[in-house]
Amino acid sequence: MRDDDYESTFGASMLEHEDAEPRNPTDNPTMGELISQRFSRRGLLKGALAVSAISATVGTLALETAAEAQAQGAKSAFSFKEVEVGVDADHHVAEGYEAQVLLRWGDPLTVDAPAFDPAKQSAEAQSKQFGYNNDFVGYVPMSGAADPSAHGLLFVNHEYTNPHLMFPGVVEMKDGKAVMKNATPERFAIEAMAHGATVAEIRKTGSEWALVRDSKYNRRITVATEMQLSGPVAGHERVQTKADASGRKVLGTLNNCSGALTPWGTFVSGEENFHGYFSGKLPEGHREEANYKRLAVPSSPYAWGRFEERFDLAREPNEANRFGWVVEVDPFDPNSVPKKRTALGRFKHEGADMIVARDGRVVAYLGDDERFDYVYKFVTAGRFDPNNRASNLELLDSGTLYVAKFAADGTHEWLPLVFGQGPLTAANGFQSQADVLIEARRAGDLLGATKMDRPEDLTPNPVTGRVYVMLTNNTSRKDDQVDSANPRAKNAFGHIIEIAEADGDHTATRGRWEILLKCGDPSVAEVGASFSTDTTKNGWFGMPDNAVVDSAGRLWVATDGNGIDVTGRTDGLWAVDTEGGARRTSKLFYRVPHGAEMCGPCFTPDDTTAFVAVQHPGDDGPDWPEFGRRSYYEDLSTRWPDFKPDMPVRPSVVAITKKGGGKIGV
Ligand code: FEO
Ligand code: CA
Ligand code: CA
């Protein structure tokens, strides 16, 4: 979802990050303050420009890079002709590549699903069709597939809905202003079914990917799907409700943003802006008041409490504690009950990218997508066994959750969120580990974690061992939170941090960090962007969001929030060099149609296909002078991907391949 285009008339569809005030009430130093300190120190040393002086300031990562640069020259790891930036109604991929629309909102997934008919939508039909606003895309090969990169299961999140783009008759023009009508029960029911996730078996024949329509694996997960709360919070009184006295059985998942494939072939999905679905008021003096306030529960956009009692805080005060988790789904068992893994904490989860540490424990890197909120990681107690899938299936139920604290000297610490340790005691209102996990943000506040500029994906690179932290933007950061050496107050374009854990061990509680990229237009000095000088006018970007590392260890970054009024370009997928002399060089590979953000991305194991998700195409409108007005169902800025007058714009997953075959970007 986009951050800065919230309009009150479209409030119900613009759920994300609309809060005028950031949520984090504590005064831990912001990432910006720390970066400022580091860069001001670097500034003092500038005159000398001695490698030794710089390395003393910025640490080992840059030193290695400088050495590699000398050895390797400035050769990019990517080889493709980059796309020209711009804004129009269609998507564009680099020359020599094919972008095939694979799954569109409304596509029938199961044999008994009806064809998509936008004029005759129903909850029943939507529950068997591909959902709305695809976000995370993950691919896992079918076991025993002749070609593991040509036959697999795709897992796709459906984060939220845009009713003004989905249904006729939702928008009324009043005094020249587009106003969205409140949801009806029928519209609510369809939107609810359009949320969640999809599992789809797909197969490539020649260069064409297609859904295997009669697959037994094809499945929709929705807000009505039964799920299990597992881990330390399961059964706790704070997650017991009238409908579920056990505190273990939850219906559905909400606002599923990013996610990840686990090493054992399941998928995890992050429940992000779950606050926007709740309405009503907690009973006076209720124990969850502070907890909910820290997460902005309730927020008005969807207000599903009008339609289902459990989303009304007055009638069901505990339901909101049952959302904001990482959910695990086994795609190979179509009857499996998804599990909310409470050991990973409750906040506005972006994703949970995983890597197996040297000793076999599994580490999940987690972002909490809110201005001034935190970066976390989770280390399992048990070890991954590549030869025994069943033994891995409950690994995410026990382990240690940590929150990151970054220091100005280029080091960082991971602070454990463990009940009874440090300030996480009864004196501060925590009676158990369940309390710590339910209020992970408050635990992070008390531990003095570093306030970040909206953490999105955290992506470990299995080839280099480094971890990339996407910080998408934070326009709320005030001038007095940065110093003059680092003019990134109102951080509109975001940045990317590179982490190296101590001794390359992902379970380590310490490491070093530096900024890989400060994003934005490098030709505008005041922006302070740090792309390499080889980066062209098409190559720079703002608002990094999702990221993936391909099998060669190369970083690809998807963006959310570019636009003609902000950067003169749509969102897209950029290839970013991290190694050698080309470090910080970025190139545009694919761009989305007007109004969309870029989600996914994901590669097949052999890098011959890249799957990307085009989310909320056609949203916005006034920003694009050629259109110049609010885009809605009856008057759309684009009808991508069908371009038929009776077909609305449709969020879709796109499969990108090289013409004639071969690895992407090589
Ligand atoms: Fe749903 Fe953090 O983007
Ligand atoms: Ca996003
Ligand atoms: Ca995202």
Side-chain angles (χ1 to χ4, degrees):
M1 259 188 242
R2 296 174 72 143
D3 173 23
D4 46 15
D5 56 358
Y6 181 79
E7 292 173 35
S8 58
T9 45
F10 279 84
S13 70
M14 303 285 184
L15 170 58
E16 186 169 271
H17 318 306
E18 76 283 11
D19 312 292
E21 292 299 317
R23 287 287 127 201
N24 191 331
T26 62
D27 54 6
N28 303 337
T30 62
M31 197 70 214
E33 286 162 348
L34 294 172
I35 290 166
S36 302
Q37 290 173 38
R38 293 191 63 195
F39 276 80
S40 54
R41 284 181 58 196
R42 197 192 294 206
L44 291 174
L45 294 162
K46 231 178 188 171
L49 264 186
V51 170
S52 59
I54 291 171
S55 66
T57 316
V58 301
T60 51
L61 301 178
L63 189 62
E64 283 166 28
T65 302
E68 282 165 19
Q70 280 174 0
Q72 297 173 16
K75 192 169 168 8
S76 171
F78 299 96
S79 169
F80 62 87
K81 189 177 165 210
E82 77 177 341
V83 174
E84 287 274 316
V85 293
V87 179
D88 60 43
D90 211 345
H91 64 167
H92 300 271
V93 70
E95 202 178 292
Y97 291 84
E98 222 153 346
Q100 178 207 345
V101 180
L102 172 62
L103 285 168
R104 304 158 201 237
W105 164 52
D107 276 354
L109 284 171
T110 53
V111 181
D112 61 339
F116 181 57
D117 181 347
K120 280 194 204 144
Q121 298 181 51
S122 71
E124 165 74 7
Q126 180 65 82
S127 71
K128 297 171 182 171
Q129 297 167 333
F130 193 62
Y132 206 77
N133 273 347
N134 30 224
D135 198 310
F136 170 73
V137 181
Y139 175 90
V140 62
M142 298 300 292
S143 59
D147 177 354
S149 292
H151 188 194
L153 297 181
L154 208 62
F155 184 91
V156 182
N157 279 344
H158 301 294
E159 190 184 24
Y160 71 108
T161 47
N162 293 112
H164 60 291
L165 304 174
M166 294 172 75
F167 308 103
V170 165
V171 170
E172 271 185 333
M173 295 305 294
K174 280 187 183 160
D175 306 325
K177 258 189 120 176
V179 178
M180 182 149 66
K181 288 186 197 165
N182 283 336
T184 60
E186 292 73 29
R187 199 182 98 191
F188 153 72
I190 298 167
E191 287 186 58
M193 288 301 130
H195 279 71
T198 287
V199 178
E201 184 178 341
I202 56 169
R203 192 196 288 268
K204 189 168 79 160
T205 311
S207 65
E208 288 278 294
W209 281 97
L211 173 72
V212 179
R213 179 76 183 273
D214 58 359
S215 167
K216 67 173 182 185
Y217 299 108
N218 294 351
R219 176 180 186 187
R220 274 305 316 283
I221 288 158
T222 71
V223 79
T225 303
E226 187 182 322
M227 312 211 159
Q228 190 187 325
L229 273 171
S230 71
V233 175
H236 192 274
E237 61 179 7
R238 294 175 74 176
V239 291
Q240 293 169 3
T241 62
K242 281 196 264 276
D244 171 37
S246 76
R248 291 171 191 274
K249 197 172 109 177
V250 187
L251 286 185
T253 180
L254 283 172
N255 212 263
N256 302 77
C257 190
S258 191
L261 173 65
T262 69
W264 49 95
T266 63
F267 289 101
V268 288
S269 171
E271 294 185 325
E272 195 190 41
N273 291 291
F274 65 95
H275 60 296
Y277 299 84
F278 290 87
S279 48
K281 257 185 104 105
L282 278 176
E284 201 59 38
H286 196 277
R287 72 176 287 188
E288 303 300 348
E289 260 174 13
N291 165 24
Y292 287 1
K293 187 159 185 258
R294 182 70 175 79
L295 288 150
V297 175
S299 292
S300 57
Y302 286 99
W304 281 1
R306 288 175 291 156
F307 308 105
E308 265 192 49
E309 180 177 320
R310 63 180 172 131
F311 295 114
D312 181 344
L313 300 183
R315 292 184 288 172
E316 187 44 83
N318 284 351
E319 186 72 6
N321 276 338
R322 291 143 62 92
F323 292 86
W325 303 106
V326 168
V327 186
E328 185 177 4
V329 178
D330 184 351
F332 290 103
D333 177 0
N335 300 312
S336 60
V337 174
K339 292 184 177 170
K340 298 202 178 188
R341 299 296 186 182
T342 64
L344 280 67
R346 174 170 166 271
F347 43 87
K348 293 178 187 173
H349 279 282
E350 179 74 17
D353 277 26
M354 288 177 208
I355 191 158
V356 180
R358 228 176 268 139
D359 70 0
R361 285 183 287 167
V362 178
V363 180
Y365 286 92
L366 311 163
D368 181 358
D369 185 358
E370 186 105 45
R371 300 174 183 118
F372 303 109
D373 262 293
Y374 305 136
V375 160
Y376 299 79
K377 80 173 176 185
F378 177 77
V379 181
T380 59
R383 289 173 165 74
F384 170 64
D385 181 351
N387 301 313
N388 184 353
R389 184 173 192 262
S391 74
N392 302 315
L393 289 176
E394 308 304 328
L395 273 179
L396 297 180
D397 271 350
S398 2
T400 307
L401 181 66
Y402 299 88
V403 69
K405 184 174 182 175
F406 294 85
D409 65 357
T411 63
H412 64 267
E413 264 184 279
W414 294 98
L415 309 167
L417 274 73
V418 174
F419 172 66
Q421 288 189 17
L424 309 183
T425 60
N428 283 312
F430 299 105
Q431 309 298 333
S432 64
Q433 183 63 16
D435 285 338
V436 170
L437 294 168
I438 290 170
E439 296 184 75
R441 280 185 172 182
R442 191 165 69 86
D445 298 342
L446 289 163
L447 288 166
T450 305
K451 295 172 174 179
M452 311 294 283
D453 284 353
R454 285 189 57 202
E456 303 265 15
D457 271 359
L458 274 72
T459 309
N461 183 334
V463 176
T464 64
R466 293 176 195 159
V467 182
Y468 294 92
V469 182
M470 305 295 128
L471 297 157
T472 196
N473 64 66
N474 181 357
T475 47
S476 296
R477 175 146 26 113
K478 297 193 177 77
D479 287 311
D480 62 3
Q481 295 174 305
V482 294
D483 65 33
S484 56
N486 178 29
R488 301 282 284 191
K490 297 195 171 88
N491 180 7
F493 304 106
H495 54 281
I496 300 175
I497 286 176
E498 184 182 62
I499 283 176
E501 301 290 42
D503 302 322
D505 177 1
H506 288 278
T507 69
T509 55
R510 289 176 182 279
R512 301 192 66 84
W513 66 275
E514 69 174 68
I515 291 185
L516 173 70
L517 268 180
K518 288 186 283 173
C519 304
D521 186 346
S523 72
V524 180
E526 305 80 70
V527 170
S530 63
F531 290 93
S532 79
T533 50
D534 287 341
T535 303
T536 74
K537 69 174 175 44
N538 304 306
W540 64 266
F541 57 83
M543 305 83 164
D545 187 341
N546 301 121
V548 70
V549 168
D550 65 21
S551 70
R554 302 178 308 168
L555 180 66
W556 299 78
V557 176
T559 62
D560 170 16
N562 289 273
I564 205 158
D565 50 343
V566 197
T567 58
R569 57 202 59 207
T570 60
D571 283 316
L573 181 63
W574 274 268
V576 181
D577 277 295
T578 58
E579 308 303 311
R583 184 166 157 97
R584 300 191 176 93
T585 303
S586 170
K587 280 169 78 175
L588 178 57
F589 180 68
Y590 172 89
R591 69 173 161 95
V592 297
H594 170 256
E597 86 177 68
M598 181 87 282
C599 299
C602 140
F603 284 83
T604 51
D606 66 358
D607 297 337
T608 56
T609 300
F611 299 104
V612 293
V614 175
Q615 194 189 67
H616 63 75
D619 198 9
D620 211 330
D623 65 321
W624 184 23
E626 255 177 69
F627 190 73
R629 57 197 185 274
R630 221 328 150 173
S631 170
Y632 60 99
Y633 191 94
E634 288 87 351
D635 184 20
L636 288 163
S637 65
T638 173
R639 290 184 185 274
W640 185 88
D642 304 295
F643 294 108
K644 290 182 185 153
D646 58 347
M647 220 22 119
V649 64
R650 299 165 80 184
S652 302
V653 169
V654 173
I656 299 172
T657 52
K658 200 177 202 171
K659 286 178 183 164
K663 289 183 188 290
I664 307 272
V666 177

